[in-house]
Amino acid sequence: MHRPIRSQRRGSTSISSPSRTTGASRTRRIVRQPALARFAECESTPGPENVDDAALDAFIRKTAITVHHPAGTCRMGAANDPLAVTDDEGRVRGVEGLRVVDASLMPDLTSGNINAPVIMIAEKIADRIRGRPPLAPDDAVVRCASVDRVQPGGGR
């Protein structure tokens, strides 16, 4: 069995190069302003040797990392959806015994931390794998700015 290949292809095109180098150049100008210059004795990164756009771009390509959460890379959908990679239980189409149970199933990132939604996805699919029925709808009332709001599923 071969090891899986995982590549986000970050920085693989020149399309984002100008925005990368522009961001680095602007940051340098900001830090050199009198209000901040006294806090910056010297530039350690990317370093004074990386002056022109080509050098800055090469430095950024070599050292850049991501702390974002990739999501939406394995579309979940109906059997007749040609773009769906998985079914509603996270099973990868065409690959027996493989499921996706992470943020890859999410159509987009949430506006907050994705930890809780990913745990929910994993727990729901784990329940399906174990043959457990879905939880019953919860009619909990959520208090918000002194107004009662009803959760989906009915109730108050």
Side-chain angles (χ1 to χ4, degrees):
M1 179 181 266
H2 296 285
R3 295 177 71 186
I5 297 171
R6 187 186 77 161
S7 173
Q8 295 175 344
R9 299 180 49 150
R10 184 180 60 253
S12 62
T13 67
S14 60
I15 293 171
S16 57
S17 178
S19 58
R20 287 192 302 262
T21 56
T22 299
S25 297
R26 285 183 182 168
T27 301
R28 280 180 163 160
R29 283 198 307 273
I30 291 168
V31 172
R32 289 180 183 146
Q33 296 300 309
L36 294 177
R38 62 189 173 117
F39 299 108
E41 187 176 300
C42 65
E43 180 182 311
S44 60
T45 303
E49 67 278 7
N50 295 305
V51 179
D52 62 16
D53 285 351
L56 278 173
D57 190 54
F59 175 83
I60 292 167
R61 284 177 184 269
K62 181 179 176 184
T63 61
I65 62 169
T66 180
V67 292
H68 79 282
H69 304 287
T73 58
C74 295
R75 181 174 174 146
M76 179 188 280
N80 63 354
D81 182 347
L83 299 177
V85 178
T86 70
D87 66 9
D88 65 342
E89 294 187 19
R91 292 180 292 225
V92 177
R93 297 207 167 101
V95 183
E96 193 171 327
L98 180 63
R99 291 188 192 239
V100 175
V101 291
D102 63 10
S104 303
L105 296 175
M106 297 169 69
D108 204 350
L109 282 175
T110 61
S111 61
N113 189 297
I114 67 169
N115 187 47
V118 170
I119 290 171
M120 183 272 313
I121 290 168
E123 287 181 351
K124 289 288 196 183
I125 292 177
D127 283 348
R128 294 246 178 129
I129 291 169
R130 293 180 182 137
R132 293 181 179 167
L135 296 175
D138 184 356
D139 293 332
V141 175
V142 177
R143 303 257 182 231
C144 183
S146 301
V147 177
D148 288 351
R149 304 257 171 115
V150 178
Q151 288 288 53
R156 251 183 68 150

